[in-house]
Amino acid sequence: MDLADLKRRRAENVPGRFFVDSTCIDCDTCRWMAPETYTAAGGMSAVHQQPEDPLAERRALHALLACPTGSIGTVPTHPELRAARDDFPLPVHGPVFHCGFHASSSFGAASYFLQREDGNVLIDSPRYVTSLAERIEALGGIRWLYLTHRDDVADHARWAERFGCERVLHRDDVTRATEEVEVQPEGPEPLRLADGLTVVPVPGHTKGHTVLHVDDTYLFTGDHLAWSDRRDDLVAFRGACWYDWEEQVRSMERLLDCRFSWVLPGHGRRHGDDPDRMRASLERCIAWMRTVA
Ligand code: SF4
């Protein structure tokens, strides 16, 4: 990956080893991965505090590696960079791991790895990185590469070639770049991939957007639904609805049928809580969506 350019070091960074350069696309990834180090400043990210202990240092390195544009650097090169690379995928909760290595082609969307007895799932595509592929191989490989929507497909073909997995993408979001996807659900009906593993169509952000509902616990939501730390609630992105907002509201209402305690989006923050509180938050999100034109 490209490394950050010291000549482009942003003035908003505090002095010290870690810095963000002016190629930052403000995708937010570093800020949720290592908020003790990175913050928003002037429409981009910057280092507001240099890491002060080994855990903060490791998290800052993880964010550096996840950055989709190679906009984070250290001077001098950090001696633990290679070891930090081998930490991915990072455990999140139970069988869920964060893949890191966000892709610029998906504007830095997060991708996740889900470990299951009946076959593991890669959720949206990270950059193809050999060390990540080797770690995923050690965790049992990939049976399905599930793609929430057309924007976050990144290196899907390389992952599919490496693992021989079945890719899943709703037909309404298939483009020339994804026409070889093996499983293309159609229409509004959910598709059951396995027991407790269901693809739910949620048109709105794009026509063929879907979410993945897992074991009444996890909801992988792409760009349909996310957690907002600022509002302390679930949110949808009106300003990033490319297909039909009214349709997205109806899709959100259908998610009331799904029980879940975790929301894991491509953009925005992930969040876990009691399922009843998550449902109440979803109801507030829908009520808010109805007020927005
Ligand atoms: S991860 Fe990279 S591109 Fe995204 S906000 Fe941080 S520095 Fe900017």
Side-chain angles (χ1 to χ4, degrees), residues 10 19-21 23-33 38-40 43-46 63-73 102 107-108:
R10 301 192 67 224
F19 68 96
V20 176
D21 77 15
T23 62
C24 167
I25 59 171
D26 197 30
C27 75
D28 190 44
T29 299
C30 58
R31 303 194 294 257
W32 64 257
M33 289 186 70
Y38 306 100
T39 192
M44 296 182 186
S45 283
L64 180 158
L65 290 160
C67 175
T69 45
S71 303
I72 303 174
H102 297 205
F107 197 74

Side-chain angles (χ1 to χ4, degrees), residues 22 29 79 170-171 177 238:
S22 60
T29 299
H170 195 282
R171 178 153 298 177
R238 178 67 185 96

Side-chain angles (χ1 to χ4, degrees), residues 26 36 46 52 75 92 102 116 137 162 175 179-180 185 194 199 212 220 232 246 255 273 289:
D26 197 30
E36 63 278 5
E52 291 184 331
V75 178
V92 175
H102 297 205
R116 292 175 61 85
E137 176 89 63
R162 170 72 171 76
T175 66
E179 60 193 5
E180 292 178 358
V199 176
L212 187 66
F220 295 93
D232 199 28
E246 297 302 317
L255 287 187
D273 201 345
M289 291 176 78

